[in-house]
Amino acid sequence: MIDVHGLLALELQHFVIALCLTTGISLVAGYSGFRYLRRARWIEDTPTSRIRSAAQGLVELNGRCEAGGQPLLISRLGRVPCLWYSFTVEQYRRSGKRSHWSVVERGGSERPFMLLDDTGHCWIEPAGAEVHPRQRRRWEGQHRWPEGGSGNWLGRALGQRYRYTEQWLAEGEQLYALGWFESRGEGREAVDQQGIARDLIARWKRDYPSLLARFDLDRDGRLDPQEWGAVQAAAAQAAAGEVALLQAAPLEHRLGKPPHRGLPFVLSDHHEEHLSRRLRWRSAGNLTVMTVAGACAVLLWTALA
């Protein structure tokens, strides 16, 4: 006999799974769509600043990117000379009748590089950036790392397939940068001279025998109030010297990840208008998926009700 209750339970289970999937897809696509749209609006609404006159905080810069006197990086997979790169290694896996690409390793560089315009230069600290490079390459092989070549007989015999994806920023390209701008040196930083003096005293006290040898003038094994005053005066003098060095340091501009959540940090060698269009197209695609998946979820929920 046909187990009617079992079939109904199985059908209900499939409906619930489909409902969860369509709801999840709709939520993820909606989040991504609005995130891309917000990025596009940030890019369109933020005026471009010159490095020399840029305000402290969130700014937009345009200029030529260079290594800043450092040797070029070599990308991990394709061995391409560059200023920044990221990579992904995926393995093709089968499970029964199903197969998929699974990420086995990903990474990228975080070394700062330089952006120059006609007013000055600024160090770009790419850690945590959302990077949209023009240079991108994807290829396949039989090794986890492509340096091993694509003619590995063992890999072919085992049916191993790997897919490599790499993207990079090349030296000399025009770079669009939207992030947190800070200037250091020439006395621009607020310096706590008393705090530096306190830290120095704490450091000296960790080596108390040396502190006594330096300031215990009567050699009684302790520091009396007069000798302790000499310690404080020496720390204040040393702190004043450190502050003078900080204030004499040359001016240096840096742009990196904002300290506050929700603010963008975007790097791209696409033109600003092209980048904005790309982000809006991605937003439209994700919002379309959100709408379709949401409609399917509503239909499934109506059918279950």
Side-chain angles (χ1 to χ4, degrees):
M1 293 180 61
I2 298 176
D3 186 354
V4 177
H5 293 291
L7 288 175
L8 290 175
L10 183 61
E11 184 178 354
L12 178 63
Q13 182 181 7
H14 288 164
F15 261 80
V16 170
I17 292 173
L19 176 61
C20 292
L21 283 174
T22 52
T23 302
I25 291 171
S26 179
L27 291 174
V28 171
Y31 172 80
S32 298
F34 286 112
R35 183 172 179 271
Y36 283 129
L37 181 59
R38 191 178 183 190
R39 289 288 182 269
R41 287 178 174 172
W42 274 112
I43 291 169
E44 294 161 0
D45 297 341
T46 305
T48 302
S49 300
R50 297 295 186 184
I51 292 173
R52 182 183 298 170
S53 57
Q56 306 296 290
L58 188 70
V59 301
E60 175 184 286
L61 300 175
N62 272 294
R64 187 180 72 259
C65 54
E66 292 186 358
Q70 308 170 104
L72 291 175
L73 295 172
I74 303 299
S75 66
R76 182 66 179 85
L77 301 182
R79 316 302 296 169
V80 178
C82 59
L83 299 177
W84 171 92
Y85 68 87
S86 71
F87 69 88
T88 303
V89 179
E90 301 168 280
Q91 185 177 16
Y92 189 72
R93 292 176 176 170
R94 293 186 179 89
S95 178
K97 295 182 178 180
R98 301 178 62 185
S99 59
H100 65 283
W101 289 101
S102 177
V103 175
V104 295
E105 191 148 1
R106 59 159 48 101
S109 65
E110 295 186 348
R111 193 186 75 178
F113 55 90
M114 189 173 285
L115 182 146
L116 300 91
D117 66 14
D118 55 2
T119 69
H121 64 269
C122 172
W123 286 100
I124 304 295
E125 299 177 337
E130 179 183 316
V131 186
H132 299 271
R134 289 187 298 111
Q135 306 290 344
R136 187 174 184 272
R137 182 188 174 200
R138 174 174 283 178
W139 71 106
E140 294 186 18
Q142 279 84 39
H143 289 271
R144 182 168 180 143
W145 296 103
E147 294 95 91
S150 59
N152 181 286
W153 64 270
L154 181 59
R156 288 196 300 270
L158 296 176
Q160 292 179 343
R161 287 177 60 192
Y162 289 92
R163 184 167 67 184
Y164 320 109
T165 304
E166 191 168 68
Q167 48 189 4
W168 64 92
L169 295 173
E171 186 177 37
E173 297 290 341
Q174 286 294 120
L175 184 75
Y176 171 88
L178 175 63
W180 196 260
F181 184 85
E182 291 182 331
S183 300
R184 304 167 186 171
E186 293 187 353
R188 294 199 174 198
E189 300 98 330
V191 181
D192 182 5
Q193 184 171 327
Q194 292 182 346
I196 294 175
R198 287 194 298 269
D199 291 341
L200 282 172
I201 292 174
R203 197 184 316 155
W204 292 347
K205 287 173 70 175
R206 285 195 289 268
D207 187 5
Y208 199 69
S210 297
L211 186 66
L212 285 175
R214 184 177 174 188
F215 294 101
D216 183 16
L217 300 180
D218 56 10
R219 303 306 176 193
D220 63 350
R222 65 184 182 84
L223 296 174
D224 58 34
Q226 183 178 357
E227 292 165 342
W228 186 248
V231 172
Q232 293 175 321
Q237 185 178 4
E242 289 194 22
V243 170
L245 287 175
L246 289 172
Q247 292 178 340
L251 184 62
E252 183 178 83
H253 305 294
R254 290 184 173 268
L255 185 136
K257 185 177 181 180
H260 312 294
R261 290 189 63 182
L263 294 179
F265 182 24
V266 180
L267 302 175
S268 178
D269 54 1
H270 289 282
H271 189 274
E272 179 180 348
E273 294 180 359
H274 184 200
L275 176 60
S276 175
R277 283 199 303 271
R278 283 169 57 91
L279 292 174
R280 283 191 172 274
W281 275 111
R282 290 185 183 184
S283 173
N286 278 276
L287 293 178
T288 301
V289 172
M290 178 197 72
T291 303
V292 173
C296 292
V298 170
L299 291 174
L300 288 169
W301 180 258
T302 304
L304 285 172

